[in-house]
Amino acid sequence: MDVRRTTVRDMRRSNRSVILSSIYRDGPLSRHELSARTSLSAASVSNLVSELIEEGVVEEAGSVESEGGRPRVLLRVAPTFRYVVGAEVGETRIRVELFDLAMTVLARADYPIDVPQPAVVVKHVLEGLAAVIAEAGVQPSLVLGLGVGVAGTVDSDAVVHAQTLGWDAVPLGEMLAEGTEIPIHLDNGANMLGQAEMWFGAGRGASDAVIALVGSGVGAALVADGSTYRGTRSSAGEWGHMTIAYGGLRCRCGAEGCLEAYVGAEGVLERYRQAGGSGSAVDEEAAFVELLDAVGTSGVAATIVDDTIGYLAAGFANLVNLVNPERIVLGGWAGLLLGERYLPQLREAVGKHALRQPYAQVSIELCELGRDAVALGAATLPVLRLLRDGGVVPPRSNR
């Protein structure tokens, strides 16, 4: 092997990756701006950009006036160079979406489910993959990959451990790969919400943040110095299973007193029923909305919601004291429903539990990308691979 040739090739790919990532995350950018941002010489930027344009990865996107010279041509990643698919595996629904590289949704498929059994998940994700490709009218060979956000811990072999779902070492990546030639990427759903919000939403510009997902269950993405903190074996971020009450309510994971048992939608509705509350809705999300709507007329509903805000605030305060984030972003369908009505009350309650100095340094915001941001975040997994590889699309045999 020619070590020098390998080193030069790797350096070139690394520089392409730096340029492509800058264009994608911060573009459109001019060649001059790229040189300033990447510290690469103007000649290197010009040569590598020419390569990327010739390969169709990058395209010109208009121009801007420059001081005393010719207008500067702006560059962007070509939206239709390739396509990506993201899937959210929820506890009551599976959503699959197809995007271009500008992350514009071109097709969507939804499948309600009763219980997220692995075989059911695989069936609907693959059905959704085929459906969105057909609806968008794109060639399967132009799909970079399928990213999937799922509850639980996802190890390096795409094996899922989801205690609350009853999943023990489920080889979900392998099961999905058996049904398609499109490369499969898996990660935790809260991490995918976090990645979406950090790239495109309320987390932009923050280097240390927590993106909290509150739905049927509860999780969080911990971002430290711009990167997701995963811990020793990728299980960091299981904030929902932080003990909030010693000897408290039993959680779905089997432990007692977990935060999820008090602020997850399933736990909140169970506490409401135990307190004598009632409603006509059968669907969990509709029942949660019904509970919130009853606050003005039902003392039981008002107490349950007030307690829920208190428990959520205590959970946030623990994060403030423990990891000192500059931003906490609240998302997930139940989190958004609560935050849209009670965000000022939540912020005030966090201040009562957190230490003054780190509380003064944090802002608490709502997700900007809506309740379906997990699928968007999952779709960034194959995009990330493209950026890291400098725009080189690997053969399908090299997943």
Side-chain angles (χ1 to χ4, degrees), residues 27 159 198 230-231 298:
V159 173
M198 293 300 293
R230 296 179 178 275
S298 166

Side-chain angles (χ1 to χ4, degrees), residues 11 31 33 40 48 53 64 78 126 132 144 155 182 197 220 242 252 275 285 356 362 367 388 391:
M11 180 64 72
R31 290 169 175 80
E33 289 171 316
L40 295 172
L48 294 175
I53 290 176
V64 292
L126 292 177
V132 296
L144 275 178
D155 68 21
I182 292 172
E197 288 291 336
M242 172 186 293
R252 298 181 302 170
E285 296 184 29
R356 285 193 300 273
V362 70
C367 284
R388 287 175 176 169

Side-chain angles (χ1 to χ4, degrees), residues 284-309:
E284 184 177 63
E285 296 184 29
F288 200 79
V289 172
E290 194 173 65
L291 165 62
L292 296 179
D293 288 343
V295 166
T297 57
S298 166
V300 173
T303 298
I304 292 298
V305 172
D306 190 61
D307 287 348
T308 300
I309 296 300

Side-chain angles (χ1 to χ4, degrees), residues 45 110 201-202 216 228 231-232 261 266 297 299 314 329 338 345 348:
V45 168
D110 282 284
S216 296
T228 300
T232 303
E266 184 175 310
T297 57
V329 180
L338 287 168
Q345 180 181 334
E348 182 181 356

Side-chain angles (χ1 to χ4, degrees), residues 21-270:
S21 296
S22 295
I23 294 173
Y24 188 81
R25 297 289 296 275
D26 301 315
L29 297 172
S30 67
R31 290 169 175 80
H32 177 77
E33 289 171 316
L34 280 170
S35 182
R37 285 170 178 266
T38 63
S39 299
L40 295 172
S41 69
S44 293
V45 168
S46 180
N47 288 336
L48 294 175
V49 164
S50 295
E51 278 184 14
L52 292 166
I53 290 176
E54 184 177 348
E55 294 166 13
V57 187
V58 169
E59 65 182 16
E60 296 182 350
S63 61
V64 292
E65 296 296 326
S66 62
E67 297 179 3
R70 295 181 301 174
R72 290 176 176 165
V73 175
L74 296 176
L75 305 165
R76 68 175 181 181
V77 173
T80 57
F81 172 68
R82 287 295 189 277
Y83 301 88
V84 291
V85 179
E88 174 188 3
V89 177
E91 297 189 27
T92 59
R93 181 192 67 173
I94 291 172
R95 164 160 288 191
V96 184
E97 296 179 326
L98 184 141
F99 305 82
D100 62 18
L101 292 185
M103 304 315 287
T104 301
V105 180
L106 303 181
R108 176 181 292 126
D110 282 284
Y111 303 92
I113 55 176
D114 294 324
V115 180
Q117 296 292 346
V120 173
V121 168
V122 170
K123 175 178 179 290
H124 287 317
V125 169
L126 292 177
E127 284 178 351
L129 175 63
V132 296
I133 289 173
E135 181 183 339
V138 304
Q139 294 295 321
S141 60
L142 295 180
V143 177
L144 275 178
L146 165 66
V148 181
V150 62
T153 301
V154 181
D155 68 21
S156 58
D157 295 321
V159 173
V160 180
H161 307 265
Q163 197 165 316
T164 57
L165 302 181
W167 290 19
D168 184 14
V170 174
L172 190 62
E174 180 181 325
M175 293 168 70
L176 288 166
E178 289 175 354
T180 179
E181 293 183 356
I182 292 172
I184 304 296
H185 308 262
L186 257 66
D187 206 335
N188 170 267
N191 285 342
M192 294 300 86
L193 173 67
Q195 187 150 300
E197 288 291 336
M198 293 300 293
W199 281 29
F200 310 114
R204 290 197 71 173
S207 59
D208 295 274
V210 178
I211 292 81
L213 187 156
V214 180
S216 296
V218 175
L222 308 178
V223 179
D225 197 23
S227 299
T228 300
Y229 177 74
R230 296 179 178 275
T232 303
R233 292 292 185 272
S234 298
S235 67
E238 290 293 346
W239 172 61
H241 300 289
M242 172 186 293
T243 301
I244 202 76
Y246 176 72
L249 297 175
R250 183 167 292 279
C251 179
R252 298 181 302 170
C253 74
E256 294 179 342
C258 292
L259 179 65
E260 182 173 298
Y262 292 86
V263 304
E266 184 175 310
V268 172
L269 292 172
E270 178 60 26

